[in-house]
Amino acid sequence: MSKTESPVSPVMKKISEMDTSSAVAVAGHPIHAMSVHFPIALVIATLGCDVFYWWSGDEFWLRASVWSAGFGFCLGLLAGMAGTAELLLVRGIRSRAASWTHAIAAMMLLSIAGMNWGLRLVDPDAVLPLGLALSALASVFTGLAGWHGGKLILHHGVGIMVSDQE
């Protein structure tokens, strides 16, 4: 066996044979993959609003962060429901470890984002420092969940529809 050839694990061979096409899709386009962009952008925007509020003290950034955190959380819940449906309905997705890592990181992200929004609704004065810390933590979990979500698409072909048409 040459150094470029690696033995294929029988477990990985069996897993790679499982179908990973999307079960929750519109015209073949997976809803989860289409719906995650706004929550990601809004979580990062909330961190930006917090930094600008900390830097300037302008109340505008405080109000903007409430809206950003709220919409990020709500749209994240919708994306999470589509992702959970995919995880539960498609055996080929469930069988991959990266799916579970992605799901756990995303659920942690939603928990942090919900707490961040709730904090802003109940006690706007707590945005500094607790809200800023929650925004930073949510951004870290956004990166972690996104990394594993990208791994599912790029390395495992999850949700990718390949057609014979040119």
Side-chain angles (χ1 to χ4, degrees), residues 29-163:
H29 300 284
I31 291 175
H32 178 67
M34 292 189 302
S35 63
V36 298
H37 299 88
F38 279 112
I40 289 169
L42 289 165
V43 165
I44 304 301
T46 303
L47 176 61
C49 289
D50 289 350
V51 169
F52 286 132
Y53 176 64
W54 181 32
W55 180 59
S56 70
D58 188 348
E59 297 286 321
F60 166 79
W61 296 111
L62 192 60
R63 290 189 311 276
S65 72
V66 171
W67 287 97
S68 179
F71 275 108
F73 174 67
C74 293
L75 292 173
L77 285 177
L78 293 174
M81 285 189 265
T84 301
E86 290 280 16
L87 185 67
L88 296 176
L89 294 173
V90 182
R91 185 170 180 230
I93 295 174
R94 263 193 329 268
S95 66
R96 286 162 168 77
S99 299
W100 293 99
T101 307
H102 173 66
I104 291 167
M107 290 299 112
M108 288 299 301
L109 168 59
L110 283 173
S111 300
I112 295 164
M115 182 177 175
N116 200 4
W117 183 39
L119 172 77
R120 292 160 198 280
L121 289 174
V122 173
D123 187 10
D125 293 331
V127 167
L128 292 177
L130 184 57
L132 177 60
L134 287 171
S135 293
L137 187 60
S139 295
V140 168
F141 272 92
T142 298
L144 183 64
W147 178 275
H148 287 284
K151 187 176 180 179
L152 287 168
I153 293 168
L154 299 173
H155 294 170
H156 298 285
V158 169
I160 294 177
M161 183 175 72
V162 179
S163 82

